Amino acid sequence: MFKKLFGDPNARKLKKFQPLVAEIKLLEEDFKKLTDEDLARKTLEFREKLDKSDSDEETEEILDEILPEAFALVREAGGRVLGMRHFDVQLLGGIVLHKGQIAEMKTGEGKTLVATLPAYLNGLTGKGVHVVTVNDYLARRDAEWMGQVHRFLGLSVGLIQSSMAPAEKIENYNCDITYTTNSELGFDYLRDNMATAMQEVVQRPFNYCIIDEVDSILIDEARTPLIISGQVERPTEKYLQAAQVAAQLVPQEIEDGPGDYEVDEKARNVLMTDEGFAKAEQLLGVTDLYDEENPWAHYIFNAVKAKELFKRDVNYMVRGEDVMIVDEFTGRVMPGRRWSDGLHQAIEAQENVPIQKETQTLANITYQNFFLLYPKLSGMTGTAKTEETEFEKVYSLEVTIIPTNRKPQRHDWPDVVYKNERAKWKAVAEEAAEEYAKGRPVLVGTTSVEKSEVISQYLQELDIPHNLLNARPENVEKESEIVAQAGRKGAVTIATNMAGRGTDIILGGNAEYMARLKMREYFMPQIAKPEDDGGFGVAGNGNGGSAPQGFDVNAPKKKKKTWKTTLDIYPTELSKETEQMLKDAVKFAVEKYGEQSLSELEAEEKLAIAPKMPPLTIRLSRNYGKCIRRSSIPIAP
């Protein structure tokens, strides 16, 4: 009704940006005639204009003025460097991001490529642009892949990874465009605020931020606190006793009914009843849980929380003698990360593994408060309209829906509801078996390690071969290979949400990606430095002796890294000619850079952008493609 009377506000907004798209298209022909050097010189021209600015407002006006030229330049560079020319709808997405709004773009519409447009434009100021993704793998991929466009045009590109030393981080944060993760960005901010000298500060003042999967970070994880903690001395015996007491306490089944405690799952908390306090005191043989001389309340509350609110293989996993947190948003294990204020110790007591020292909070901030520190903020996602009210109210961010480049051909079937979980997973397994018989690749998404293993068991009973991808270490090692080949004929893949973001699943299999993995198998052992045996690097936080939450200096040593591809994932045997080409290329790389002379990040970057590589990549890809053709039949419609 209102749309008929006043028109669609989203359509009006897009119409306002159309003249800019038309101007960019007009400039395209002129830019095609320029040499690579001429394109790079354009960056210097833009910077000269921006240098004349005397205020932030004036800088923003100049950026708006040069936007059509800058976007046309990036479009041309994308075509030359990546072989990817931005579609008109992607230009619209880039304009929306530059205006400090959220662009809702459907899955597969090229959000990663869209980010290169506003990142380049705002990177011209030299004040820094942060492109934020949800994990280290995606940050690295985007820095290597999309970073080629920015480097080609003369901008510096940085990458922040969790294992970097402070000196490396300072260098990368000082780049024009820096790719990083939300957690690493937040932890570096906290560490900087705890620094006792300016030399220890790694970040510079915030300027502009582009967030990928913005709904996940700004809405789902908005209240997630980033915490840096230090160790405190507390007796470990009390955790064991508290765990035994908690096991004997019973929850209330109904409100105000009998029971020792009430569980508030929404607030992730437990409330002890009077009966619960009395029973705990009786079991411990004390008169007051809050006695200052012999306090027990802290231990009992954590023990009950561990029992009721933290589930094994959902919130955490046990590896050997360690309790590892599983990130509920990404499904990934977070090595060295620990819950604070005695909660982690309560879970260790419950699982009967060695109890490590307790930590106390030294500094914390939520993602909501952290990202509000940016003067200019924007984001991309496939689902933002449903949270539009929260975005506008909390972050003052408008949501603009970007149309798809082509009319969508996907069919979204209605939801099916089952009486119980067992019936649901059985039905999923049976449907996967039906599609497998047709030759269709199937991807089954689950929310936890536990559920992924339940569906795996059902598929085993049906004799359906499948790949399982969850946070267990034996599965994580093959993550990129499994996802890249999940589109093969007859492939059945079960994955937790750890694999759900940013990896292309191409029907028939991703031959080019697998070719690059094969190249890494030959190159990386020769040109990458061996990793230190000391586990995870710990960035200094400027507060003597305290370790940041997220990294544990006492963590077990990491398994020696191997770049070998798995035979069942990469079954092709290379021809002698192709193998010789690979060996010659490795020899050339060793002569140029030195044997085992580059860090893994530097080696990955050289591999991504080295000019000698493309013919070899194409050759391996064709070889792999032949294997797929020999072993495949056309995919069922």
Side-chain angles (χ1 to χ4, degrees), residues 225-240:
L226 296 167
I227 300 170
I228 285 181
S229 54
Q231 291 185 346
V232 293
E233 293 291 338
R234 280 205 175 120
T236 57
E237 307 79 39
K238 284 194 169 184
Y239 293 110
L240 294 168

Side-chain angles (χ1 to χ4, degrees), residues 184-198:
E184 203 56 34
L185 199 58
F187 278 123
D188 284 340
Y189 172 78
L190 289 177
R191 284 190 279 261
D192 281 357
N193 277 275
M194 294 173 64
T196 54
M198 282 306 294

Side-chain angles (χ1 to χ4, degrees), residues 615-635:
L616 187 58
T617 304
I618 292 164
R619 181 62 183 271
L620 278 165
S621 184
R622 283 177 182 161
N623 191 22
Y624 189 69
K626 284 177 188 174
C627 170
I628 291 171
R629 285 195 292 276
R630 282 200 301 268
S631 63
S632 300
I633 57 169
I635 293 169

